[in-house]
Amino acid sequence: MKRGKKYIESAKLIDRSVQYDPEEAVDLVTKTAKAKFDETVEVSVRLGVDPRYADQQVRGTVVLPHGTGRTVRVLVFAKGEFATAAQEAGADYVGAEDLVEKIEKENWFDFDVCVATPDMMRIIGRLGRTLGPKGLMPNPKSGTVTNDVAKAISEIKAGKVEYRVDKTSICHVPVGKVSFGKEKLLDNLKVLIDAINRAKPSTAKGVYLRSVVISSTMGPGIRINGLKF
């Protein structure tokens, strides 16, 4: 793979044979971010689980103390008092059948997260094939199917992220922007890893945190010693 000059320069700062302490890794990720825009910092965690088995799925949510640095657009499927609560809580879009129709007919996706009250799931069920592949389908496990829509919206706006192991046993999660600086990124990283550790399935054997790698959008990956958390 051909790499750009900035990437090559950044890669020289990293020893790929070393697993850095979290503090060192976060410091390096801010130094290796050379793009002209505010790069997102992402963590990739490979877990010692087999996602083919239901009892070894790792999935959950956590509110990062300093947020993600993103402006998240929230769509809420709700009616009546729940719709009113959603609007008051700052939802960007609130509706029911009208929004389902808009998504179906106009292929409209100007939102980042969907929240729904339980009674709305029968209405939006037909959107499963549309929203599912995009990771937008409301799900009780991620806290996006709830009657407490105000709480769900406030947490999402505050920096709630979902971690979910994929078919290769890896969780990819954003932990902020380079502009956050070392201390805030480190805080977010520690909260995320703590949540993933607490979500360890009882059936998982051997080493759970197989590898932890942090990187900016355009920067190289930096390995972190998972035992240091």
Side-chain angles (χ1 to χ4, degrees), residues 62 163 188-199 229:
V62 62
Y163 54 88
N188 281 355
L189 173 62
K190 288 181 176 179
V191 168
L192 171 65
I193 297 299
D194 181 58
I196 292 176
N197 272 325
R198 285 187 280 107
F229 289 101

Side-chain angles (χ1 to χ4, degrees), residues 20-30 189 214 222-224:
Y20 294 92
D21 287 350
E23 293 81 0
E24 292 179 281
V26 170
D27 187 42
L28 278 171
V29 83
T30 60
L189 173 62
I214 190 169
I222 302 164
R223 299 171 66 207
I224 303 177

Side-chain angles (χ1 to χ4, degrees), residues 126-142:
R126 65 178 189 261
L127 294 177
R129 292 184 179 180
T130 304
L131 299 180
K134 296 180 180 293
L136 294 172
M137 193 67 179
N139 190 300
K141 292 182 178 179
S142 61

